[in-house]
Amino acid sequence: MSDVAKPAARASRRKLLVYAPLGVAVAGGISFWAMLRGLQDGSFNPRGVPSALLGKPPPDFTLPALESTGLPPLVSADFRGLPGPVVVNFWASWCAPCIIEHPHLMALQRQGVPVWGVNYKDRPREAQGFLTRLGNPFTRLGVDEPGRVSIDWGVYGVPETYILDRGGIIRWRFAGPITPELMAQDIQPLLRRLSGG
Amino acid sequence: MSHFLDALRRRAGAILVAVALLALSLPVIAQIGDTSYRLRDAEQESRARDIGKELRCLVCQNQSIEDSDASLARDLRRIVREQVEQGASNEQVMRFVHERYGDFVLLRPPFKWSTLLLWATPALALLGGVFAIWRARRRANATGIGPLELTEAERKRLADLQGDPRA
């Protein structure tokens, strides 16, 4: 009270006390909105596990073929000396999202992109039934009944899709079913880039 | 209320029996689930369990692989035990899983540049609090009480009120 210069400072301090929480609330609101948007268009996935294998070659492995299909099996040596990028898809007949994404794999195959499959923890007859019913997009198919090779790849659920460049290096990984948006925004541009340069 | 107590007293015997049965059944409950992977060597098994408690189940995400019933968690439990049985150190087993699943699989995040803020947050919050207290105190000291000496006018007024004998 003895000081006359103080009231102005006190008023600006009070203003700060009013606006600071408001600013925090606005910042929080904007972040929350961005998060919701990201959840909606798939660019933000709080439960997503980033692949530890990006930029690396796949692990050494040998998987047997699914006899009834007559397709060649899948081994790590297949990733050497590729003419272009390949798509590797982990799937199972008991996996509902695999049915949803299946048309996209068929589309890639029609497009001439090699799609190689790993049949995860499945029964041969049911796997064959799945391919007979929905069509076979794969040019190579390995059977990983124990799921060990999939663990070496860092797979934690089916479906999972990987894109490898012609050097056999893992460039992209997605856990979950392929969607039309994913095809248009990620998969197709990346395949174009990898088969270009 | 007394009605309730009466009922309780009447059923005390039954309640006791129920509690005793429940206590007996607890070890049975704890054994539900797949136990075929357990190691015979108790020391190795406890080491495997310690490792497993540090590893996140990637399917359920907020459970360790020791706590989860997901099939991937079961596979990882088996792998951990196989490696422990073959004489791998805790670090070797952790590295094996970390190489495949990255930092996400570690329930205790590693200390590195990208996790610096995560680890530093408690320290930063504490420092911020200390700073706020220090500033508030300094301001209180600077302006709160004001000059302690009375002015001449105040001295006079006080003397009037007290009826200074010298006046």
Side-chain angles (χ1 to χ4, degrees), chain A residues 2, chain B residues 147-158:
Chain A
S2 58
Chain B
L148 291 173
E149 289 297 311
L150 297 178
T151 60
E152 196 49 46
E154 282 167 343
R155 213 186 295 273
K156 208 161 175 218
R157 192 160 163 247
L158 182 64

Side-chain angles (χ1 to χ4, degrees), chain A residues 47 121 148 152 154-155, chain B residues 61 75 82 100-101 139:
Chain A
R47 293 169 67 86
K121 291 200 173 191
R148 284 294 172 95
D152 286 343
V155 168
Chain B
Q61 300 206 348
D75 290 349
E82 278 171 19
R100 283 154 183 76
Y101 290 102
R139 182 166 312 123

Side-chain angles (χ1 to χ4, degrees), chain A residues 6 30-31 39 51 68 74 80 102 110 113 116 132 139 143 148 152 166 170 178 183 185-187 193:
Chain A
K6 277 278 129 64
I30 290 174
S31 321
L39 278 173
S51 174
S68 55
L74 190 61
R80 267 173 242 141
H102 198 77
R110 277 195 300 276
V113 178
W116 295 353
T132 311
T139 46
V143 176
R148 284 294 172 95
D152 286 343
R166 68 183 72 189
I170 296 171
I178 298 169
M183 279 290 271
Q185 286 162 19
D186 290 351
I187 297 176
R193 215 173 59 220

Side-chain angles (χ1 to χ4, degrees), chain A residues 51-121:
Chain A
S51 174
L53 262 64
L54 287 181
K56 292 182 191 158
D60 275 330
F61 70 93
T62 309
L63 289 175
L66 183 60
E67 294 295 342
S68 55
T69 57
L71 294 169
L74 190 61
V75 297
S76 40
D78 294 332
F79 294 97
R80 267 173 242 141
L82 296 165
V86 292
V87 173
V88 178
N89 179 254
F90 291 75
W91 65 283
S93 67
W94 46 262
C95 143
C98 297
I99 302 173
I100 296 170
E101 73 168 7
H102 198 77
H104 297 300
L105 296 177
M106 297 299 287
L108 286 171
Q109 182 240 19
R110 277 195 300 276
Q111 212 177 292
V113 178
V115 183
W116 295 353
V118 176
N119 185 225
Y120 177 77
K121 291 200 173 191

Side-chain angles (χ1 to χ4, degrees), chain A residues 143-164:
Chain A
V143 176
D144 187 17
E145 199 277 312
R148 284 294 172 95
V149 168
S150 302
I151 285 179
D152 286 343
W153 277 72
V155 168
Y156 66 98
V158 278
E160 263 188 45
T161 305
Y162 292 73
I163 294 177
L164 290 86

Side-chain angles (χ1 to χ4, degrees), chain B residues 14-29:
Chain B
I15 291 171
L16 262 177
V17 170
V19 168
L21 280 177
L22 196 68
L24 278 176
S25 69
L26 277 179
V28 180
I29 292 172

